[in-house]
């Protein structure tokens, strides 16, 4: 395992090269692989790509000796991130390229990258062949009573000084793989067959590498130094990128990346099949894929990302089963099966939805309207055709706002942007216009350093009632523009977790071979603050359900820094900052006595404690004791919640899972029946039955703010609003 920062950076690459296995290296008797060579078109592509990076990228970096040195390190790390193939002597040989690569690549000479790769491929093939040849005997000889351990973070490993050190590293690595399978209740007589099949598949793929594969890795080892969203897309990856950008894609609706040998779920497309099914989560790792209800699982550890995507993708109505290692697994090696029926992600299913929360206030019940916005969408085609009723986020939210005020008679509104990964910039600006009279919304600075502003240009009606915006770590891009503008105008309170922090704009540039996705501009708030890296910091912070070390812009290598530009003159609608100390006190007092909220905090603490584990025991008794200890802590947290709520305590987590599974089956049948009748309630009715403690707390905070303001208005004459420059 590597540090989250390194892992998320490597997830951008199109191939996986570390192999989860371990075995002594034996002399290979197979014929030598043909050397992979670059083409004239790739020479032209590299020269063109470097010109585009130097001229158009926001960071304005020159590809010089300093960047050449970083490029070499990043490229070697891309190939052998686990430090399982190269030795210190190999690294010494590669040193001759350190200050030469920039000179060579400007001239289209790619020898360094292809020479290093050919050495890597040779070592990889030899290792895999030896594993396949001796796997049964190696597993049979393993002694799980020996006191030894396995280092999780590969970045803490030095390069092996010799072959003997490398062989021991592989021995422990394979032993950890076998023990993980034993822990997941894999029958002993099936372990060797499972791993052998995995390594044979990997060996087959290694032998199919071509010049496009090598060029892609070499190019991306350079583009990643500019920023993590600047990538070279080979012709094959360009096709997949275009498919993934289409909402009409038939599949499960999940954005996937590579994390060493694993396919990792980055986020779920709102209202997509996986999002509706509810079991697949960000940070989960997909280790197996099966078609239909009864076909065998295909082990996809070590597969290329595009090949895994092709297995998961399929026609509407067909079923795919995913074998998943949960990102928040209580014990290492835990697996579950997620069954998803493929479908199209429909624009109307991403539409904003409303509901009403009832918040007690003494003897009175306050009504808080909630508008859930899963994405910033707009039907551009319908708009271009001149259709008057084309769908868009702003149009839908305006209708819902009117209904909440006029029909539901709510006391205030919560805008729920959790898990909203963004979308249309135009819609982010238009939506903000529903909550301010007029004014700028966002500033965009181009790589030329020219700045332009967008927002609500004409004075017009707007919702002026109490407002809270709920965000989390997966709220990104357009969500951050909206939340940042509401915060800067002091139009409402921002609550939740710090947002993702993606404040950059990319453009696609055609190259002689493939495309370059290049960061050309950067978003800034009207206060002058960037949303990049730091994200939007909430006024009231909730527990971080997603690990900031794993998810978010700050977790990515070479992410552009946070900075500021000149602010824009803008209006303050309220004195929210004056209310914050009392709002925060009331929130802390209430949440400190809320069993469901305490349960969330305890879960976060347990996850952080688990991340502190640096070594896994390879002694089976010790490994099971560690897993039991984690299970015991999780059970104690659950029973603490149950005791506070007056519910029956559990004797094991399995008991809780049996109840959950039974409820899931019932809910699944209900949802299927609803869908078949065409009434389209999706899972909304079931979800409303499950308390959403964070949403409820957002409603409580809105009520607190409303009551505090009313108290101040009763005691003082309201002051005039004023324009300010911050």
């Amino acid at each position: 395992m590597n540090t989250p920062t390194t892992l998320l950076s490597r997830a951008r690459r199109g191939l996986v090269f570390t192999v989860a296995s371990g075995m002594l290296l034996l002399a290979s008797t197979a014929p030598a692989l043909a050397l992979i060579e670059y083409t004239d078109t790739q020479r032209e592509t590299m020269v063109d790509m470097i010109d585009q990076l130097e001229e158009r990228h926001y960071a304005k970096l020159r590809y010089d000796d300093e960047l050449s040195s970083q490029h070499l390190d990043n490229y070697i790390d891309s190939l052998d991130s686990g430090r399982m193939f190269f030795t210190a002597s190999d690294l010494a040989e590669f040193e001759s390229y350190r200050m030469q690569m920039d000179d060579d690549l400007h001239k289209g000479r790619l020898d360094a990258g292809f020479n290093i790769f050919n050495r890597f491929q040779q070592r990889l093939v030899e290792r895999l062949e030896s594993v396949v040849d001796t796997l049964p005997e190696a597993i049979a000889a393993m002694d799980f009573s020996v006191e030894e351990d396995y280092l999780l973070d590969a970045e803490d490993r030095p390069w092996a000084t010799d072959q003997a050190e490398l062989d021991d590293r592989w021995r422990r690595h394979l032993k950890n793989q076998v023990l993980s399978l034993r822990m997941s209740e894999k029958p002993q007589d099936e372990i060797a067959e499972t791993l052998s099949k995995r390594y044979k598949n990997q060996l087959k793929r290694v032998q199919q590498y071509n010049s496009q594969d090598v060029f892609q890795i070499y190019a991306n080892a350079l583009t990643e130094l500019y920023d993590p969203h600047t990538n070279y897309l080979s012709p094959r990856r360009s096709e997949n990128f275009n498919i993934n950008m289409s909402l009409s894609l038939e599949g499960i609706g999940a954005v996937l990346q590579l994390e060493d040998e694993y396919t990792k779920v980055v986020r779920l497309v709102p209202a997509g099949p996986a999002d509706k099914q509810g079991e697949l989560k960000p940070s989960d790792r997909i280790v197996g894929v099966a078609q239909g209800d009864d076909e065998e699982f295909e082990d996809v550890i070590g597969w290329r990302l595009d090949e895994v995507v092709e297995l998961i993708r399929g026609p509407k109505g067909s079923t795919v089963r995913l074998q998943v290692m949960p990102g928040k697994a209580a014990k290492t090696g835990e697996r579950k099966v997620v069954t998803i029926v493929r479908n199209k992600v429909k624009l109307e299913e991403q539409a904003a939805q409303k509901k009403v929360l009832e918040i007690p206030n003494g003897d009175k019940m306050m009504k808080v309207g909630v508008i859930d916005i899963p994405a910033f969408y707009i039907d551009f085609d319908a708009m271009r055709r001149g259709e008057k009723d084309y769908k868009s986020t702003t149009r839908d939210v305006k209708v819902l706002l009117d209904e909440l005020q006029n029909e539901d008679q709510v006391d205030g509104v919560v805008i729920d942007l959790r898990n909203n990964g963004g979308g249309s910039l135009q819609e982010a600006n238009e939506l903000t216009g529903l909550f301010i009279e007029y004014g700028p919304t966002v500033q965009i600075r181009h790589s030329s350093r020219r700045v332009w502003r967008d927002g609500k240009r004409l004075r017009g009606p707007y919702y002026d009632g109490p407002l809270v915006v709920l965000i989390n770590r997966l709220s990104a891009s357009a969500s951050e523009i909206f939340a940042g503008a509401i915060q800067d105008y002091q139009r409402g309170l921002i609550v939740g977790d710090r947002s993702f922090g993606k404040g950059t704009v990319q453009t696609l540039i055609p190259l002689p071979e493939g495309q370059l996705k290049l960061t050309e501009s950067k978003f800034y708030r009207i206060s002058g603050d960037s949303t990049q890296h730091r994200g939007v910091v909430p006024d009231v912070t909730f527990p971080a359900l997603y690990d900031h070390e794993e998810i978010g812009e700050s977790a990515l290598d070479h992410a552009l820094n946070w900075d500021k530009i000149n602010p824009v003159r803008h209006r303050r609608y309220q004195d929210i900052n004056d209310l914050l100390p009392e709002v925060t006190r009331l929130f802390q007092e209430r949440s400190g006595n809320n069993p469901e909220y305490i349960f969330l905090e305890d879960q976060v603490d347990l996850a952080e404690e688990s991340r502190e584990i640096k070594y896994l025991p390879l002694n089976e008794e010790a490994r099971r004791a560690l897993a039991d200890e984690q299970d015991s802590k999780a059970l104690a947290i659950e029973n603490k919640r149950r005791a506070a709520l007056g519910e029956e305590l559990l004797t094991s987590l399995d008991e809780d899972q049996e109840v959950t599974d039974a409820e899931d089956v019932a809910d699944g049948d209900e949802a299927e029946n609803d869908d078949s009748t065409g009434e389209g309630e999706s899972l909304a009715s079931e979800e409303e039955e499950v308390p959403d403690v964070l949403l409820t707390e957002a409603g409580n905070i809105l009520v607190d703010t409303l009551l505090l303001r009313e108290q101040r208005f009763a005691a003082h004459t309201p002051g005039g609003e004023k324009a300010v420059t911050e």
Side-chain angles (χ1 to χ4, degrees):
M1 184 182 295
N2 300 282
T3 61
T5 323
T6 306
L7 292 174
L8 281 168
S9 176
R10 292 184 191 125
R12 297 295 192 271
R13 298 171 183 134
L15 299 173
V16 171
F17 297 100
T18 54
V19 181
S21 62
M23 191 57 214
L24 297 179
L25 177 62
L26 304 178
S28 173
T29 58
L33 287 169
L35 297 179
I36 300 177
E37 299 179 346
Y38 56 89
T39 66
D40 288 339
T41 304
Q42 287 164 353
R43 289 166 50 94
E44 298 172 17
T45 300
M46 182 62 79
V47 172
D48 191 3
M49 187 188 81
I50 292 174
D51 287 345
Q52 297 289 351
L53 288 169
E54 292 185 332
E55 292 176 11
R56 298 181 60 175
H57 193 278
Y58 188 88
K60 296 297 182 185
L61 296 178
R62 308 301 299 178
Y63 185 40
D64 53 14
D65 282 351
E66 180 180 353
L67 216 58
S68 174
S69 176
Q70 295 177 40
H71 186 191
L72 176 64
D73 291 336
N74 201 35
Y75 182 51
I76 293 171
D77 199 44
S78 300
L79 298 176
D80 191 7
S81 60
R83 303 190 174 187
M84 301 293 286
F85 298 97
F86 292 136
T87 62
S89 60
D90 292 317
L91 273 293
E93 285 187 51
F94 301 154
E95 276 299 308
S96 61
Y97 299 127
R98 185 167 296 280
M99 301 300 177
Q100 189 61 38
M101 284 163 50
D102 58 321
D103 299 323
D104 287 348
L105 265 61
H106 275 108
K107 299 173 183 176
R109 293 199 293 260
L110 313 180
D111 302 76
F114 279 73
N115 289 344
I116 292 172
F117 183 87
N118 283 319
R119 172 76 63 84
F120 169 76
Q121 187 185 38
Q122 175 192 353
R123 296 288 177 80
L124 182 55
V125 168
E126 289 174 347
R127 181 65 69 176
L128 289 177
E129 286 176 341
S130 73
V131 167
V132 170
D133 290 343
T134 62
L135 189 61
E137 296 84 353
I139 293 176
M142 290 179 181
D143 183 357
F144 293 102
S145 65
V146 176
E147 295 293 336
E148 59 181 355
D149 51 36
Y150 177 72
L151 177 63
L152 286 172
D153 195 338
E155 285 199 335
D156 292 337
R157 297 175 187 155
W159 292 101
T161 56
D162 53 31
Q163 196 64 45
E165 184 179 349
L166 199 57
D167 289 345
D168 184 66
R169 199 168 284 180
W170 276 87
R171 180 188 65 79
R172 291 176 187 248
H173 199 76
L174 179 56
K175 190 174 182 180
N176 180 62
Q177 291 286 312
V178 173
L179 185 52
S180 294
L181 289 173
R182 288 165 67 108
M183 295 282 290
S184 62
E185 309 305 327
K186 188 78 170 177
Q188 180 65 30
D189 58 354
E190 296 180 14
I191 291 178
E193 180 183 354
T194 298
L195 293 179
S196 180
K197 183 178 180 181
R198 177 186 301 174
Y199 301 141
K200 286 178 180 177
N201 285 335
Q202 291 176 353
L203 181 58
K204 179 181 178 181
R205 284 167 177 77
V206 169
Q207 293 168 334
Q208 293 174 343
Y209 290 152
N210 57 40
S211 63
Q212 278 194 8
D213 298 327
V214 181
F215 182 82
Q216 178 175 280
I217 307 158
Y218 194 34
N220 275 322
L222 172 58
T223 62
E224 288 171 355
L225 300 177
Y226 282 77
D227 88 297
H229 304 291
T230 294
N231 310 110
Y232 168 74
L233 307 176
S234 68
R236 185 173 184 179
R237 277 193 74 195
S238 295
E239 179 182 354
N240 280 324
F241 178 81
N242 293 334
I243 290 175
N244 289 335
M245 291 300 289
S246 171
L247 285 178
S248 64
L249 170 66
E250 292 182 351
I252 66 170
V255 178
L256 308 176
Q257 293 177 342
L258 286 179
E259 183 173 287
D260 288 344
E261 69 261 30
Y262 295 103
T263 298
K264 177 180 175 180
V265 179
V266 179
R267 64 180 176 88
L268 303 179
V269 177
D275 186 33
K276 288 182 178 180
Q277 197 271 354
E279 291 186 71
L280 196 66
K281 303 294 182 184
S283 296
D284 285 354
R285 292 173 290 175
I286 299 171
V287 297
V289 180
Q291 308 301 325
D293 295 321
D294 42 26
E295 285 195 23
E296 291 187 5
F297 277 98
E298 191 86 44
D299 188 311
V300 297
I301 296 176
W303 282 36
R304 293 161 47 135
L305 181 61
D306 49 12
E307 292 176 323
V308 179
V309 169
E310 286 177 6
L311 268 188
I312 296 175
R313 185 183 296 154
K316 175 183 177 181
S318 61
T319 298
V320 63
R321 293 175 8 255
L322 307 178
Q323 193 175 59
V324 171
M325 296 177 65
K328 294 185 177 181
K331 57 186 179 184
T332 303
E334 177 184 336
R335 300 186 182 198
K336 66 178 181 180
V337 174
V338 178
T339 302
I340 301 173
V341 177
R342 301 178 177 104
N343 206 338
K344 285 188 176 182
V345 180
K346 301 175 184 177
L347 186 62
E348 58 267 24
E349 291 180 332
Q350 292 199 343
Q353 299 179 12
K354 68 159 186 172
K355 64 180 177 182
V356 176
L357 296 179
E358 292 190 339
I359 306 293
N361 174 38
D363 296 333
K364 182 181 177 184
M365 195 66 73
M366 308 287 285
K367 295 173 70 176
V368 173
V370 177
I371 299 179
D372 180 15
I373 304 176
F376 285 85
Y377 53 88
I378 181 171
D379 190 342
F380 279 112
D381 291 337
M383 183 181 68
R384 293 188 187 102
R385 290 193 300 267
E387 295 182 13
K388 295 182 179 180
D389 59 347
Y390 67 87
K391 289 195 69 63
S392 78
T393 303
T394 306
R395 284 167 169 253
D396 290 345
V397 171
K398 186 177 188 309
V399 170
L400 298 178
L401 270 174
D402 290 342
E403 292 175 357
L404 288 170
Q405 293 178 89
N406 301 323
E407 298 174 15
D408 300 307
Q409 299 291 310
V410 297
D411 297 294
V413 172
V414 173
I415 301 295
D416 189 350
L417 294 181
R418 288 176 297 175
N419 305 333
N420 184 321
S424 168
L425 172 61
Q426 172 183 319
E427 285 304 304
N429 292 325
E430 295 288 338
L431 184 69
T432 308
L434 297 182
F435 300 94
I436 62 172
E437 186 176 18
Y438 81 102
T441 300
V442 65
Q443 303 186 80
I444 304 172
R445 183 162 72 167
H446 188 263
S447 58
S448 65
R449 297 314 186 249
R450 175 176 172 263
V451 178
W452 68 93
R453 302 177 180 115
D454 203 353
K456 187 175 182 180
R457 292 180 172 83
L458 300 176
R459 293 181 185 271
Y462 65 99
Y463 168 75
D464 61 355
L467 178 66
V468 164
V469 179
L470 176 58
I471 60 176
N472 69 0
R473 190 59 169 166
L474 295 180
S475 304
S477 195
S479 296
E480 297 174 289
I481 292 171
F482 173 80
I486 295 299
Q487 191 175 54
D488 289 338
Y489 277 107
Q490 289 201 33
R491 178 60 195 83
L493 269 174
I494 311 300
V495 303
D497 188 16
R498 182 160 59 95
S499 64
F500 191 93
K502 183 183 182 297
T504 57
V505 188
Q506 285 70 45
T507 186
L508 282 174
I509 302 171
L511 297 171
E513 182 175 287
Q515 300 179 90
L516 177 64
K517 181 163 67 75
L518 180 141
T519 297
E520 197 169 36
S521 302
K522 200 171 177 182
F523 290 128
Y524 291 84
R525 293 163 54 161
I526 56 175
S527 62
D529 292 353
S530 172
T531 60
Q532 168 64 20
H533 202 282
R534 181 184 294 181
V536 176
V537 180
D539 300 307
V540 180
T541 301
F542 290 173
L545 301 184
Y546 296 99
D547 178 14
H548 289 194
E549 295 290 323
E550 287 274 359
I551 301 292
E553 189 79 5
S554 60
L556 305 179
D557 283 345
H558 309 292
L560 295 182
N561 292 329
W562 177 90
D563 62 349
K564 295 188 68 170
I565 61 174
N566 291 330
V568 184
R569 186 174 177 83
H570 61 278
R571 171 182 177 183
R572 281 188 183 146
Y573 283 79
Q574 300 165 10
D575 291 325
I576 285 179
N577 291 337
D578 294 339
L579 298 176
L580 265 181
E582 183 63 12
V583 169
T584 302
R585 186 190 69 78
L586 292 171
F587 156 70
Q588 292 173 343
E589 181 179 288
R590 182 174 49 249
S591 60
N593 296 306
N594 184 335
E596 297 288 1
Y597 194 91
I598 294 170
F599 176 67
L600 284 180
E601 292 182 314
D602 288 342
Q603 284 185 313
V604 170
D605 291 342
L606 181 59
E608 290 179 354
E609 183 181 321
S610 297
R611 287 192 293 270
E612 294 299 314
I613 298 174
K614 302 298 183 184
Y615 291 88
L616 283 178
L618 294 177
N619 176 289
E620 185 165 4
E621 184 178 343
R623 183 75 153 261
R624 291 190 182 277
L626 175 62
D628 290 342
E629 179 186 359
Q630 292 179 312
D631 282 348
S632 296
K633 291 178 180 179
L635 178 62
I637 290 172
E638 171 62 23
N639 280 334
K640 176 182 175 183
R641 181 187 71 86
R642 287 173 171 264
L645 294 172
E647 297 178 359
E648 183 179 353
L649 302 186
L650 300 176
T651 57
S652 72
L653 291 175
D654 292 336
E655 182 183 349
D656 185 38
Q657 187 61 47
E658 289 172 6
V659 174
T660 302
D661 289 343
E663 291 172 349
D664 287 345
V665 170
D667 287 349
D669 289 341
E670 277 185 42
E672 186 176 356
N673 291 337
D674 283 346
D675 191 51
S676 64
T677 61
E679 295 179 8
E681 285 286 329
S682 183
L683 296 182
S685 60
E686 287 86 348
E687 287 175 354
E688 288 176 1
E689 295 173 3
V690 179
D692 184 339
V693 62
L694 298 183
L695 181 59
T696 301
E697 191 50 51
N700 281 320
I701 290 173
L702 185 144
V703 170
D704 289 341
T705 306
L706 173 62
L707 296 177
L708 287 171
R709 185 171 293 115
E710 288 179 349
Q711 292 170 9
R712 293 196 176 195
F713 284 171
H716 305 284
T717 301
E721 295 163 342
K722 59 182 180 179
V724 298
T725 300
E726 297 184 6

